Amino acid sequence: MSKRIERKSSGIILTKKGVNARTPYEHQYMAMQSLSTIDQEKHYSTLIVLPTGGGKTYTAALWLLKHAIDQKKKILWIAHRQMLLEQALQSFQQYAYTDTIPHISSFQYRIVSGAPEHDRAVDIMPKDDLLIVSKDSIGRNLQYLEPWLKQQKEIYLIIDEAHHAAAKTYRKVIAHVQKHVPYVKLIGLTATPFRTAENEQGLLAKIFQDGVKDGMIQKGQVGITYQIGLKDLINRQILSKPIFESYYTEDHYGESLGLSAWESIQHLDTLPDDIAQQLAKSAARNKLIVDTYQKNQKKYGQTIVFAVNVDHAIALNALFEKRGIRSAYIVSGVRDGVLGIGVSQKENQRNLEAYQQGELDVLINVNILTEGVDLPKTKSVFLARPTVSTILMTQMVGRALRGQAAGGTDTAYIVSFVDEWEEHIAWVNPESLFVCENEFNDDVNERVQRELRMISVSKIEEFASILDQSIDTTALERVPFTQRIPIGMYTFTYSEEGDNGMDIFCQIMVYDSTAKPYEAMLKELPELFRSFGIQEEYPSEDNLREMEQQCHDTFFCGEMIPPYAKQDVIHLLRYYAQYDSTPPFYSFDDIDRSRLDIQQVAQVIWDRDLGPRKRKEYIDTLWENNDDNLLKLFFGKKLYFIRQLDIEISKLSDPEIYQENANIRYGVRELEDLSLFEIRQVDPDYEKELRAQAFSKAKTKKGTYRCACCGVANTSQVFFQADHIKPRNQGGQSVPENLQILCKACNGKKGDR
């Protein structure tokens, strides 16, 4: 007799007797009512837009139970991450009451993904009523979907986190379903709709074309059936108003991260054990966390602290208790950390109940409190662990967003503890989750503070490097300080390949020096991808490196300070490969950069000839008594502010210090005997000039550029690469008359880079 095991990846959900005790909020009821309106159409494609914390999954699942499951119509629910699949199933199971689905006694479900605990696409059965599948798993195995779709006249296709629906795999799945089923009812759920400007809508607006406006169905133009903004839900007290704070630790991590450790963080959101233990055992870091709470206990109220591991939770709990703060911790039952300590479910439950009943002020959590437990009185979350996962960050932040009308609080404090990482890791800034949603802040001062906090996190490594005597930052220090303040940023998320891949969150700061090159590059991305013949959603590392090099040669030649980062360009290339569109640019127009110009502060100190005592008093006054706290927000640490100020004062006291090579006269060096790459290292502006002359020679009267070998012409420079007519290994020099442009194919054949 064969042995059987129970698997939660598929099964039958039985109808619960009675009435669902959870009453929809007004906005959820209105969303469901609007869905019922558009559902009168035989087929449609539309969006439901609810902000973070607005209950997208609950709203959709409750409506689908009544209008699809109860009517014996099939549902294909697609998301791009495993965590989202299980959340969806939980909603269908939790709200399957007889008052919602009175005509059936049960329905069959199946979860399909690459996770060991889930089924595979080959397991899909025609009798499944609800398929909850990962985008990549079904995208690679569409043939196994066909028996399930066979003879279906109507199907509900749900795209969770629908702002990802423009990705190529999603489009392929949607097209496949529409090919096999006459009437597809496509519903996208998102907190981030497409922008309203027609030229900015891109592919997302082409996918979702139908909607409801003023109670009327509009086909082929609106795209949204129901939408409500974060600000509206805050005003209705359904969500609390998030207030973001950042505290900067003195801790440095990642100085010698190996490749495997970096990949563990970036691709799995897992800190290597040694670094996790450093974080857990950092006395100064833990003291900062506890001090921050104790000094503002009345403001923060009941607080959940997200810790790194069990050892970290134990250490923090001991410190809180020592200060007389009522504290406990909950962790998964798995043994964790060097102490090998586990916590029973019974103890977790006891601590949870004590927190719910107000007997605890602080609940420290390790990998357990992101979903499913109702803790409405939580007023603050302390983010004592970093994450690269936007999904996890959304769940952590969401713990404090329950508004007064929902039994919660009017404001929510999201408190981040920011470390210094020498390696570039795309940690998620919690505030950025709300940048691309509907603006909820009309106050200019609050917008400025939000922008400065986002800039501050990105500038930590630059400020730290200036303090590091082993790093030469003189070129950066020569630049006027206001030019080192970003003018805006590209902010976006893209997905790595596979069900286990991370959502990579990116904030690319843009400066005066890089604004035009980025703008030109993004405009030419369609031509760049065409020239490389790349159509796949996940280009190879080799292709990405080659494309980045082409972007440098075409757009980023010459000296740029602050410079662009190669990895930022690769992030943008990955984003475009998935979505065939460019990310939004978020401008920092609200910031008056002159108010952060420490050159002016240095000038005051110099002109007044302030001695050490008076100078200290003046600096302390600026730092502590700044009404809107701009200096603290921008610099984060007073140490960074003082160091930058010292640099500006030294420029005034000894101007020659920051004049490039003021006391050296170099001998003449012949550049024509170097390659273009070698010239770039010593004189990037001259390299840029040589490339520009090569393209100028190749420009036709029609305004196109022509390959010197095959004659192919194109208006975009990204199709071509500068090349030596007489190869350098035959005595050719890097001079304008010996340079030509070749298309990528001809340059590859020539083989002399």
Side-chain angles (χ1 to χ4, degrees), residues 386-425:
T387 180
V388 296
S389 168
T390 53
I391 295 173
L392 179 59
M393 180 60 78
T394 300
Q395 291 173 338
M396 291 193 294
V397 168
R399 277 288 156 207
L401 288 181
R402 184 81 73 87
Q404 285 182 305
T409 59
D410 59 340
T411 55
Y413 291 92
I414 315 299
V415 184
S416 299
F417 294 90
V418 184
D419 308 300
E420 293 174 11
W421 290 77
E422 279 71 20
E423 298 285 338
H424 179 70
I425 297 174

Side-chain angles (χ1 to χ4, degrees), residues 236-386:
R236 296 181 188 186
Q237 297 185 325
I238 293 167
L239 295 181
S240 51
K241 180 179 179 179
I243 298 173
F244 298 90
E245 296 179 356
S246 296
Y247 292 90
Y248 298 86
T249 75
E250 300 295 331
D251 286 16
H252 294 253
Y253 299 99
E255 194 169 34
S256 56
L257 272 184
L259 180 61
S260 62
W262 188 91
E263 289 182 344
S264 172
I265 293 171
Q266 196 66 65
H267 304 310
L268 300 174
D269 197 31
T270 303
L271 288 172
D273 288 342
D274 59 335
I275 293 180
Q277 286 307 116
Q278 285 181 53
L279 279 160
K281 292 181 176 181
S282 173
R285 190 178 189 273
N286 291 341
K287 183 177 183 297
L288 174 64
I289 293 166
V290 176
D291 284 349
T292 300
Y293 181 82
Q294 187 177 37
K295 289 174 184 175
N296 298 280
Q297 184 170 353
K298 187 174 181 182
K299 178 178 82 170
Y300 291 137
Q302 277 199 300
T303 296
I304 295 174
V305 178
F306 289 94
V308 175
N309 56 20
V310 175
D311 300 340
H312 194 206
I314 292 170
L316 285 172
N317 188 58
L319 279 177
F320 277 117
E321 288 183 338
K322 191 175 181 181
R323 304 286 185 88
I325 296 164
R326 300 177 302 171
S327 171
Y329 57 88
I330 59 171
V331 301
S332 64
V334 178
R335 291 184 178 274
D336 189 329
V338 294
L339 298 179
I341 295 172
V343 178
S344 70
Q345 279 297 107
K346 209 175 265 188
E347 192 173 346
N348 279 340
Q349 191 59 39
R350 197 161 49 241
N351 289 334
L352 269 174
E353 288 173 0
Y355 183 81
Q356 287 171 320
Q357 293 165 14
E359 297 168 7
L360 293 174
D361 304 308
V362 172
L363 190 60
I364 306 163
N365 164 61
V366 180
N367 296 333
I368 199 172
L369 251 193
T370 51
E371 274 298 308
V373 182
D374 191 28
L375 302 170
K377 292 300 183 183
T378 299
K379 189 174 184 180
S380 305
V381 292
F382 275 30
L383 304 173
R385 61 148 294 175

Side-chain angles (χ1 to χ4, degrees), residues 196-213:
T196 53
E198 190 171 333
N199 64 337
E200 295 181 332
Q201 289 179 2
L203 284 170
L204 202 59
K206 295 176 182 176
I207 295 168
F208 300 101
Q209 297 186 333
D210 311 312
V212 174
K213 190 173 183 181

Side-chain angles (χ1 to χ4, degrees), residues 645-656:
L645 191 54
D646 286 343
I647 290 169
E648 298 305 322
I649 291 171
S650 67
K651 289 181 186 178
L652 295 171
S653 63
D654 191 354
E656 287 191 355

